[in-house]
Structures are given as structure tokens and as C-alpha cells.
Amino acid sequence: MRITLLKILILTTSPLLIFSSSLYAQERISLNPGVYDSWNSIDNPQISDNGNVILFEINPQYGDGMLIIQNINHQTTDTIQRAYGASVSKDASFVAYKLKSPLQKTRKAKLDGKKKDELPKDSLGIFFLNGQKKLFPLLESFQVPTEQGNTVLALFKTAPPVADSSINDSTIKAQKTEKTSRKKDSKDESKTYTLRLFLTDKDTTIVREKVSHAELADMGTSMVYVTVADDSLKTNNIWKYDIAGNSEKLVFSRPGTIKDIKLYRDGNPFAFLYSNDTIKEKRYSLYLCKNELCSMICDTTDQQISIGQSPSENGKLRFSHDGSKLYFGLAKTPRVQAKDTLTDDEIANVDVWNYLDPRLQPQQLKELESDKKETILSVFHLKENKITVLEDSTITDINTGFRGDGILALGYASDAYQLQASWTGRRYRDVYLINNLTGVKELLLKAHEGPVSLSNDGKFLAWYSMSDSLWHTMSLRSRKPVTHKVEGIAFYDEMHDVPGIPGPEGYAGWSKDDKLFVVYDRYDLWGLSPEGAHKPVNLTSGFGRSLSKRFRNLKTDNEVPYIGNENGAFLLSAFDEKTKKAGYYLSSEKNVPQQLTEDDAKFGNPIKSKNSQKVIWTKSDFKTFPNLWLSDLSFNNPTKISDANPQQAKYLWGTVEPYHWLSTEGDSLNGLLYKPENFDSKKKYPMLVYFYEKYSDQLHQHYVPKPSRSIISPTYCSSNGYIVFIPDISYSDGYPGQSAYNAVVSGTLALISDGFIDKENIGIQGQSWGGYQVAWLVTRTNLFKAAMAGAPVSNMTSAYGGIRWESGVVRQFQYEAGQSRIGANLWERPDLYIENSPLFRVDKVETPLLIMANDGDGAVPWYQGIELFTAMRRLQKPVWMLNYNGDAHNLLQRANMKDLDRRMMQFFDHYLKAEPAPEWMERGVPALKKGKL
């Protein structure tokens, strides 16, 4: 559908409808769960290099979405239903995209019992900015050049292009035939596809059959593809096609297996892995093809690598941007595994835990597959024809710098410190400087904790030291360290409120030519001279600190390693801690930041076109969805270019305001207060209290109506007559429960004294850390009539030694040095672990409690919820527990989200609004009726 750009502002999806103003003249209604599915998000926004084309997806929460393509020059907007994953060509002449099958068609196939490989496949769509379209069914993958050129390389299950935007009967028949023919070899590694290279400027198509791999050069000048012959040896043929010269050549032909083809930017040279082994455990050799001549540059016999090693299929090939280096991975050469002579029941199935293991068995098992695929990063220098192995048994992490062009790299070794990290939470590592030509490794920092940065030109090193909370720099030539200190300025996180040493506020990066290393304090940017030629320079002239305004650098060009523009100016985001206003500013070394735009709103990171000053960005608040805006870098005269949810105007929408009060200790505290639309201070409202750490900076956060993953929705609740209160929590080490009490209870009492809260109908809800505190609070106060605790820790003595099952890491560090804030181990302060455990005061609870504890929770072991539930059940106190089988800490399955959303609000509506109790609360849900009530 093609429309003018202005009309996009009155469109919605599924299908597109034009809403008249008379519709919104009707009386607004409360939000209800039935509207969630159609509420839209904006995804994958892009702007072309020349700034003339903007594309983004509008997707409902459930249903078919669409791709929006806006031509700024022609002031037109085109809509393509069910399109996603789009890429705009470098010359902005076309957009390539994937096209989904209609959701209901896919759903029907699932209901009919179709397997994953039998479900409807995507198609490839090509939309030309002149309005023409091409569509090709059964898409496997596609590529568009990332640097220049106007081609599309695509692989398909089968072939012919469709003339219009629908798939005809003959195509569907061909798909069914192809599906049947491929059933038997669906798991065959040698499965092949039909390749199509679309030369969009010439309106011609290159077609090749039986293709197993294909890659397009970033500059669009050539492609390389592999065909598999029908002979008994399954000969692999590598072809190189010169797009500009319209010629191709066979450059490699052997029986065996080809893996991981990687082209340099212009397609010359390219590299790949080859094995002639016919067994599963294949040994690979690394080949380099230059000027259409291919030669082996590394295999298991190479004397430049260790005996028993060879190139690995798990080490991703990549060229440095300048083409001087080819990075690849080495691993232990696979050997044929002897067939086991024991049956399964004759083999012990046991995990052996050892107190000396740096990583616990659960963590090792979680990381088993990645461990099996671990490789040793190495580099081949094309000019010198030399291999350098960068990693070893100690150094297992390498930073090769921006695009891998430099001769120096940083290496990190952390294995020696993993054991103690289980309880300290501190991430120490040894930092090495590595010459990737000679292979010389030099230890720079021992047992270092904190960020480290190698300058873009490889001349300097910068690091933050946790021991003195300062930044340090060093010339790698003189090796003279420089400590950067400013009287009265803290470079550490001033808001740090957990036990242990605070980390840095962070850094922005290196300015052009490595002139400055730019770091942050709480408010401002500072330029550090890496050689100490001058004192630290406040690049925002102290403007941030003087106005309590937090400035942070916005990098808009990822194709250069440095920050700032050619004139040394920085585009900045700004956030006012007092007013909560935000916006964009421009700063330089010599000037006070210049305001470009600022408002009582939340601003997203702008996306800039490569070759123009045009940017797209978002702006939102509690009432306003983050739609897209278009402007230049001055942000003057912005144009709104999307309106994803015009239906919002039909619904009652609350308001939000800051709330301030004094705690029982006399401390000034902050929070957020959400009120129903048309709030009347003379009325009494039920209230729900929610909290998690600090929320007051989120004054302008927009919450889309959607099913809950774990918490209440301020949007839904305020639309349905609730006051919602979100207090900030200030913590004291060792007393997280009491700290929450001091803030939450004092804030709630302050609101009651304001006169518009129904003090008899106040509920409280929290998830995870907030869920724990909800459980603790109801053991100390009867202020709340009903409470819901999601994923709560109920017993810190058992949780302390528990496992975070998503990572396999033990939870001890959380209590000693992390969010749980005990600040001591279990044997040093058992009293604090008991004091802060709700379980030991369950007999004092008089508040009905709803718990969510999922057996698939990877963060909080679900037995913590069980301990709390069974204790309350034993004491016959009203308690319910929801276990969403196999689901996560915060729900991931939409059906489960909808169910939680329904039950949680039924629970609160029953206690706070006197609604009838649902059957699941009164009679439970027997296993025989699971999924039916």
C-alpha cells in the first residue's frame, strides 16, 4: 500500500484502519487484557546512508506485523504486510526483506501436527523505491552488501520468482514437491539450495543450483559460492563470480567438506576451511584464495602451531578491515572416537564436585557446549605469510582493537581468580599486551579489576583502578604511568549502595588521534591527556554538576574508532536528576554544552544516516508512546514519522508525578505516584505499591499495555481505578529488609495522610529482589491487605549456598558483596541471615499472599517459594503459589504471561475491590484440571 507520508500518522495495523476523530469523541474506557494482542511496537528502525529512506516495522504483540518504507524526498510511505528483517541498499534504490507466512496459516499447520521443518517458510521480497516489487518463495537466507553496491544474494529451498505479491497455486505445488523430496535428507550436512544473485541495477538474475554455501562481498563486487556435485564423492566446487565483469571461475574443486567461507571487503582475498575426512570428527585445513588462486596456509602439520592442533570449524574466520590479517581459531585436532563397548546402563552417570574446581559442576555443565567449541585465537599475516598464536592456556580472551587493524592487542587471563569470585563477586584478571606479529606477550596489570582500554592508534593504555578509584594512563613507548585526579571530583559511582568497592562511572572512549581519553564523573565528561601533558579537562565545563544534569556521549558513527566529530565536539544525551527532563546537547573542549532539544520526556539514542545530517530518534513519556521522529543534528523542526498506537486515545490513561516524603528516620525520599485519569482528591482510591531498587528517574517511562511477565502494570492499574505508588529504597548494609520497611511503610503512611488513599484497601507487589522484600514486609506489618511476591527468597540461610541455574553459578557473592547486601558470609553474621529471612517470622504473617515460583527459574531457586508456601500452609495462613512449568524468572511464554496477568489482578481485585474470589482461589486447581481453570 502506498500513501503519502502525512497519512502514516493516522494508521494502525491488522488490518490498516483509518480512525476518524468521531471515534475518539466517544467516552474513553478502561484498559482490559483483550486489547493487549493488538498493541504495537516499533522494531528495527533504519535510515539509509543518504538519509532519504526510512524503514521500520510495526508489530502487534500477537498477529501479523508490517514493514513501513518512507521515501523522504518523494513524501511517500509504502506498507508491506508481514515483512520483517529488512535491509536498505547502500544507494537507497531498493529494500530487501523477509516475508512471513500469515500467522493463522502457521498456527493451523501447528494444530495439524506439522513438524518445524514442515511449517510455512519465509519468502524474499525486494521492493524498489519506484514502487515495483519482486517476491521469491522458500527463502533460506539473504545478504545485501554492507558497504556499497546494489545486489541481493539469496538462498532458496526452490525457485521461480513470483510476478506479483502473492504466491500462486503452481508455486505452492512446487513447494510441496520440494518438501517431499527433502524429507529424507533434512538432517544431511550437504543439503543444497538454489542461489539467486539479483543485480538490481541491471534487472538481471544469476541462478545457480545445488549450492551449499554462498557469501557476498561487503562492497558488492563479487560473490563466492560452493556447489556440490552429484558424483559419489560429493565433490565441492568453489566458484568466484565477478559481479562487475559478469564472469565466474572455478577456483577449488575437491571431494570433502567446505566450512565458513569469509570474503575480504572487496572479495579478494577470501578464506575457507576444508576437510577431506568422511568421518564425523573432521580435521580442517585453512585456505586462502587470492587472485583466484587458492593455497593452504595452515593445517595440523604446520610448524607455526602446537603439535596436535589444527584450524577449527568453531573459530569464526574474519579479516581485519585493512586486509592485512586473517583471524581464525585453533583447537585440538579431533581424533576418531573408539566405539563404546558398554551399554548405557553399564556406565555410571555421575558429576564429581571438587572443592578446588574454579567453576562448579553446574556451571561447567551449562558451559559444556561452549567449552567443547572453545578455540585459540590466531592470526595469519598476509604480507609476512606468518601465523601468530595469540591465546594460550592462560590467556583466553583477546581484544584485537577496532576492526582488528592494529599490531597490538590486549589479552586477559582470569582463570586463576574464578574460584574466589564465587563469593567475592569480584572479577580480577591479568592484562597482557600482545604483539600480534611477533607473538610477544607482556604482563601489564596483575590481578586487575576494572575496565582497560587500548587507544585506537595503539600508543596508549588507560585503566581504572578499584584500589584508588582513579583513572590511569600510560604511553606504551615510555611506560610512564600517569594518575588522573581532580580535587573534589569522584570518578567512581557515587550512587553505589551495595557492600564492596564501587566501580567507575564509565568512559566514552578515545578522541581523534588519541588526543584524549574521555571518562565520566556522575555528571560531566572529562578529557584525560594520556601522557599527562595537562590536567584533566572538563569537556562540559562543569555544567552538568552545577545543574545536577547527567551528560553522556552519543556515538553516531560506528565506522570510526574515535568519539566526537572532526571539530572535537560531542553529541550528548542529558538527564536532569532534579526535574527528570532529558534531551540532546552539543559540547566541545572550549564551550559550555549547547542545548539542542530538551523536554519533560525520555529520549532514545538517535540513529544517524551515514552521509547526511539526518537522524531518527524517539521521544516518549508515560502517556506518549515512543514514536519515531526525523530531524537533522540540530534537532530543530522535527517531524513525527510514526503513530504506532492511535487506538490509545480510546482508553483511560492515568498520570504520573514525583512524590517526596520523609522516612521515619527523617531522610528525604523520592518515589513515583500514578493516579487514575480524572483523579479526584476528595475520593478514596485503592492503592497498589510496587518497588525495585530506585525508580524515580523513570518518571517518563512509557509502559505499553501488555500481559505481565512478573509485575503489575502502572498503565493498566491506573486505567482501572488504582493508585500505584513506587517508592525508591535507600539501603543500609546488613539490613535490606528493614531498609525496605523504612521506605515503603513511611511512604505509604505519608500517602494515607494525604487523604485520598483507602487505607483499608492497599496491596503490595514485587518480583525477585522486590518479591523477597514483599515477603519480608508482611512478616513485620499488617498495613497491606494483600500481597504478591514473585520469585521471592524466603530463607537466606539456604539461598546463600544455592545455585543460579541459568548460569550454574553459586549465589554466595550476592549476599556477601551484591544486591542482597548482607556484607558478610553466613558464619560471620548468621544473625543477619536469619534477621533478613521471612521464613523465620512466617507465624507473624496475617496478609494473604500470592507467590510465583517457577521450576524453570534460573535466578532464584524455586524451592525458596516452596519453603515460604509450605510454611504458611502448615500454619494455615491464606497463601497460593503459581508455578509456570519450565518458564523463567520473568515469564517468557505469552500464554503464561496472560495467565499470570489474569490471576494476579483477580487476586488484588478480590481483596482490594471486593470482587468475587475466582474458583482457583477458593477451591484450587486439581492436577486433573490443569490448564482448564
Side-chain angles (χ1 to χ4, degrees):
M1 177 184 292
R2 169 161 284 197
I3 56 176
T4 63
L5 181 60
L6 293 177
K7 287 183 180 178
I8 190 62
L9 300 181
I10 56 171
L11 294 183
T12 187
T13 58
S14 306
L16 285 174
L17 296 172
I18 299 179
F19 286 89
S20 67
S21 59
S22 62
L23 178 65
Y24 298 134
Q26 300 172 8
E27 184 177 353
R28 290 196 292 276
I29 60 175
S30 297
L31 285 166
N32 65 84
V35 307
Y36 292 163
D37 285 354
S38 62
W39 220 275
N40 298 308
S41 62
I42 294 178
D43 302 310
N44 303 319
Q46 301 173 51
I47 184 168
S48 63
D49 284 0
N50 62 11
N52 292 337
V53 178
I54 296 170
L55 53 150
F56 54 92
E57 298 168 25
I58 293 183
N59 293 312
Q61 292 179 31
Y62 184 81
D64 293 321
M66 63 180 175
L67 176 69
I68 306 295
I69 304 172
Q70 297 187 358
N71 188 323
I72 304 303
N73 283 349
H74 296 164
Q75 289 288 292
T76 58
T77 294
D78 289 272
T79 302
I80 304 177
Q81 297 292 334
R82 308 192 316 279
Y84 75 107
S87 294
V88 60
S89 65
K90 303 307 286 184
D91 64 356
S93 63
F94 70 87
V95 173
Y97 56 89
K98 298 177 183 178
L99 190 72
K100 292 180 183 178
S101 174
L103 176 64
Q104 291 305 319
K105 182 178 179 181
T106 301
R107 184 174 181 273
K108 183 179 185 303
K110 291 179 180 179
L111 289 173
D112 291 342
K114 301 294 184 182
K115 296 180 180 179
K116 183 177 180 181
D117 199 47
E118 299 174 315
L119 296 177
K121 301 295 187 296
D122 286 347
S123 299
L124 170 70
I126 303 177
F127 174 84
F128 297 90
L129 270 296
N130 61 12
Q132 294 181 339
K133 297 179 186 177
K134 286 187 176 181
L135 192 69
F136 302 84
L138 296 176
L139 175 69
E140 178 70 16
S141 63
F142 80 88
Q143 302 171 42
V144 174
T146 58
E147 292 191 36
Q148 64 184 47
N150 42 16
T151 58
V152 183
L153 173 65
L155 295 177
F156 299 89
K157 297 284 186 182
T158 188
V162 181
D164 58 20
S165 59
S166 62
I167 300 176
N168 56 37
D169 292 339
S170 61
T171 303
I172 295 173
K173 184 177 180 180
Q175 291 178 15
K176 290 181 178 178
T177 303
E178 178 72 11
K179 185 190 307 178
T180 302
S181 66
R182 295 213 176 273
K183 261 188 178 182
K184 294 182 180 180
D185 63 350
S186 60
K187 295 184 179 180
D188 188 352
E189 286 188 358
S190 63
K191 63 182 178 181
T192 59
Y193 307 94
T194 297
L195 176 149
R196 280 184 170 74
L197 178 71
F198 307 101
L199 307 177
T200 57
D201 56 339
K202 299 177 183 178
D203 196 25
T204 58
T205 303
I206 310 299
V207 181
R208 299 292 181 267
E209 301 294 341
K210 299 186 181 302
V211 174
S212 61
H213 306 279
E215 287 291 328
L216 182 65
D218 292 341
M219 298 177 72
T221 51
S222 62
M223 75 166 173
V224 171
Y225 65 95
V226 181
T227 59
V228 180
D230 285 331
D231 56 34
S232 60
L233 298 176
K234 290 191 174 181
T235 300
N236 278 245
N237 301 309
I238 301 183
W239 302 80
K240 184 174 181 184
Y241 183 82
D242 179 0
I243 294 174
N246 190 28
S247 62
E248 70 181 327
K249 183 177 180 179
L250 178 66
V251 295
F252 187 88
S253 180
R254 292 186 192 177
T257 303
I258 303 293
K259 288 274 188 178
D260 198 16
I261 297 176
K262 181 61 182 178
L263 281 65
Y264 181 58
R265 296 162 57 206
D266 63 359
N268 186 34
F270 69 90
F272 63 91
L273 296 173
Y274 166 73
S275 175
N276 61 5
D277 290 339
T278 57
I279 57 176
K280 182 178 180 181
E281 298 84 4
K282 294 179 174 60
R283 298 165 298 171
Y284 285 93
S285 300
L286 176 61
Y287 279 76
L288 183 73
C289 300
K290 192 170 185 179
N291 299 324
E292 300 177 346
L293 296 175
C294 298
S295 58
M296 191 267 292
I297 59 174
C298 183
D299 71 356
T300 190
T301 66
D302 200 306
Q303 296 183 358
Q304 299 178 90
I305 65 177
S306 298
I307 296 174
Q309 292 181 342
S310 59
S312 171
E313 63 178 305
N314 298 312
K316 191 172 180 62
L317 301 181
R318 63 182 175 96
F319 286 97
S320 61
H321 190 259
D322 62 10
S324 66
K325 307 174 193 68
L326 170 65
Y327 294 95
F328 65 100
L330 293 171
K332 187 176 180 180
T333 302
R335 299 288 182 231
V336 178
Q337 301 296 317
K339 186 174 181 180
D340 206 318
T341 59
L342 300 175
T343 63
D344 288 345
D345 60 346
E346 294 173 330
I347 301 172
N349 189 12
V350 59
D351 301 326
V352 179
W353 296 43
N354 189 312
Y355 77 103
L356 296 176
D357 288 341
R359 295 179 297 164
L360 285 175
Q361 279 288 318
Q363 184 178 356
Q364 292 182 49
L365 293 171
K366 279 289 182 180
E367 298 172 359
L368 182 59
E369 288 305 311
S370 62
D371 286 348
K372 289 179 180 178
K373 296 178 180 180
E374 187 174 340
T375 62
I376 298 170
L377 182 65
S378 306
V379 59
F380 175 74
H381 296 268
L382 278 68
K383 183 178 179 181
E384 292 80 6
N385 196 33
K386 176 183 178 181
I387 292 174
T388 306
V389 179
L390 301 180
E391 293 180 332
D392 55 31
S393 59
T394 301
I395 300 172
T396 57
D397 185 21
I398 298 283
N399 181 352
T400 59
F402 186 73
R403 291 174 168 173
D405 288 342
I407 204 68
L408 296 177
L410 291 180
Y412 305 99
S414 58
D415 286 355
Y417 309 106
Q418 282 200 5
L419 180 62
Q420 66 189 56
S422 294
W423 51 85
T424 66
R426 303 184 69 170
R427 303 291 183 237
Y428 294 104
R429 54 187 179 170
D430 298 334
V431 182
Y432 290 82
L433 185 68
I434 302 174
N435 185 307
N436 61 31
L437 180 60
T438 66
V440 172
K441 300 176 175 67
E442 178 188 356
L443 179 62
L444 294 178
L445 301 170
K446 182 70 174 175
H448 178 72
E449 183 184 19
V452 181
S453 179
L454 181 66
S455 69
N456 296 321
D457 291 339
K459 299 175 182 177
F460 306 102
L461 188 75
W463 68 96
Y464 180 86
S465 172
M466 300 286 281
S467 61
D468 60 12
S469 300
L470 294 173
W471 285 99
H472 304 262
T473 56
M474 179 176 67
S475 165
L476 294 176
R477 175 175 294 180
S478 68
R479 300 303 173 96
K480 293 181 179 179
V482 179
T483 299
H484 300 273
K485 185 176 183 179
V486 181
E487 193 67 32
I489 295 297
F491 290 120
Y492 60 80
D493 177 9
E494 295 182 37
M495 304 302 289
H496 179 87
D497 66 349
V498 299
I501 303 172
E505 274 288 346
Y507 68 95
W510 297 86
S511 65
K512 192 174 182 182
D513 301 323
D514 291 352
K515 183 180 177 182
L516 295 172
F517 181 61
V518 181
V519 303
Y520 302 123
D521 70 9
R522 180 173 173 178
Y523 300 106
D524 292 299
L525 280 71
W526 292 83
L528 311 182
S529 168
E531 292 183 288
H534 55 74
K535 294 181 179 179
V537 178
N538 192 314
L539 301 178
T540 43
S541 304
F543 191 65
R545 186 165 291 273
S546 66
L547 296 177
S548 298
K549 201 179 291 280
R550 295 201 295 259
F551 289 113
R552 293 297 180 262
N553 180 66
L554 292 170
K555 197 170 190 295
T556 57
D557 188 352
N558 291 323
E559 296 190 11
V560 296
Y562 55 86
I563 62 172
N565 61 22
E566 295 287 336
N567 300 318
F570 300 93
L571 179 64
L572 305 172
S573 67
F575 177 78
D576 192 310
E577 288 186 346
K578 294 179 179 178
T579 67
K580 312 305 179 186
K581 286 186 175 182
Y584 304 126
Y585 279 67
L586 187 67
S587 184
S588 69
E589 292 183 44
K590 300 179 180 179
N591 300 319
V592 170
Q594 172 191 352
Q595 178 183 313
L596 301 174
T597 184
E598 190 172 65
D599 204 349
D600 284 307
K602 179 179 180 179
F603 289 77
N605 288 346
I607 302 171
K608 180 184 175 297
S609 62
K610 180 180 177 181
N611 300 322
S612 82
Q613 296 296 297
K614 292 176 183 176
V615 289
I616 54 176
W617 42 283
T618 61
K619 176 183 176 182
S620 59
D621 58 30
F622 178 62
K623 287 187 173 183
T624 309
F625 179 84
N627 278 295
L628 291 170
W629 293 77
L630 171 69
S631 70
D632 60 21
L633 280 172
S634 72
F635 297 94
N636 287 326
N637 304 314
T639 302
K640 186 179 177 184
I641 58 174
S642 72
D643 189 9
N645 292 296
Q647 76 277 15
Q648 179 179 323
K650 294 194 299 181
Y651 299 98
L652 294 168
W653 211 271
T655 62
V656 61
E657 62 193 53
Y659 189 75
H660 310 285
W661 75 99
L662 293 178
S663 72
T664 51
E665 287 73 32
D667 297 325
S668 179
L669 298 178
N670 304 309
L672 298 177
L673 191 63
Y674 296 83
K675 297 177 178 178
E677 188 171 323
N678 303 317
F679 169 77
D680 184 348
S681 62
K682 297 179 181 178
K683 293 183 178 179
K684 300 285 187 180
Y685 293 87
M687 183 169 75
L688 285 170
V689 180
Y690 167 80
F691 57 93
Y692 190 97
E693 300 280 357
K694 291 180 170 65
Y695 256 71
S696 60
D697 284 352
Q698 303 301 315
L699 175 67
H700 299 304
Q701 179 67 41
H702 183 83
Y703 297 98
V704 169
K706 61 183 179 181
S708 172
R709 293 185 63 197
S710 56
I711 67 174
I712 62 170
S713 165
T715 304
Y716 174 88
C717 293
S718 58
S719 180
N720 282 271
Y722 282 104
I723 296 277
V724 176
F725 175 45
I726 306 182
D728 286 352
I729 314 297
S730 296
Y731 289 97
S732 298
D733 287 355
Y735 299 93
Q738 188 63 45
S739 297
Y741 181 96
N742 293 342
V744 175
V745 172
S746 64
T748 303
L749 292 175
L751 279 165
I752 291 173
S753 68
D754 288 340
F756 51 81
I757 301 299
D758 182 354
K759 66 179 181 179
E760 303 300 327
N761 289 296
I762 302 175
I764 188 168
Q765 196 271 334
Q767 162 71 8
S768 189
W769 179 236
Y772 149 70
Q773 289 168 108
V774 166
W776 194 92
L777 283 168
V778 296
T779 68
R780 261 67 176 186
T781 179
N782 296 325
L783 182 60
F784 305 103
K785 192 174 183 181
M788 190 277 178
V793 164
S794 61
N795 182 357
M796 285 194 174
T797 67
S798 59
Y800 172 76
I803 300 294
R804 295 179 67 94
W805 292 108
E806 63 189 356
S807 61
V809 173
V810 69
R811 295 169 51 85
Q812 291 164 339
F813 72 92
Q814 297 177 229
Y815 295 89
E816 296 187 34
Q819 186 181 49
S820 298
R821 294 176 170 89
I822 299 300
N825 67 44
L826 182 59
W827 307 276
E828 291 170 330
R829 294 299 305 270
D831 58 313
L832 292 180
Y833 283 81
I834 294 173
E835 157 73 17
N836 286 285
S837 295
L839 185 68
F840 296 101
R841 285 178 58 95
V842 166
D843 59 320
K844 307 299 182 185
V845 176
E846 296 182 14
T847 306
L849 180 65
L850 174 64
I851 302 168
M852 180 179 74
N854 303 323
D855 54 22
D857 191 326
V860 175
W862 82 302
Y863 59 72
Q864 288 293 315
I866 294 174
E867 289 191 46
L868 183 57
F869 175 84
T870 55
M872 291 186 67
R873 176 177 178 269
R874 164 66 180 82
L875 296 169
Q876 281 296 285
K877 296 177 180 295
V879 62
W880 298 261
M881 192 174 90
L882 307 174
N883 168 27
Y884 292 97
N885 300 161
D887 216 331
H889 185 63
N890 294 294
L891 296 176
L892 297 177
Q893 299 178 36
R894 187 168 179 82
N896 291 341
M897 297 180 204
K898 286 186 172 182
D899 188 83
L900 172 64
D901 199 72
R902 173 176 63 90
R903 295 187 197 274
M904 183 164 58
M905 292 316 299
Q906 284 177 339
F907 173 77
F908 282 126
D909 287 347
H910 169 63
Y911 280 109
L912 308 183
K913 288 186 173 181
E915 297 287 341
E919 185 176 348
W920 65 269
M921 287 180 64
E922 292 206 327
R923 298 183 179 84
V925 181
L928 288 171
K929 294 186 178 181
K930 183 176 178 178
K932 299 177 182 179
L933 290 177

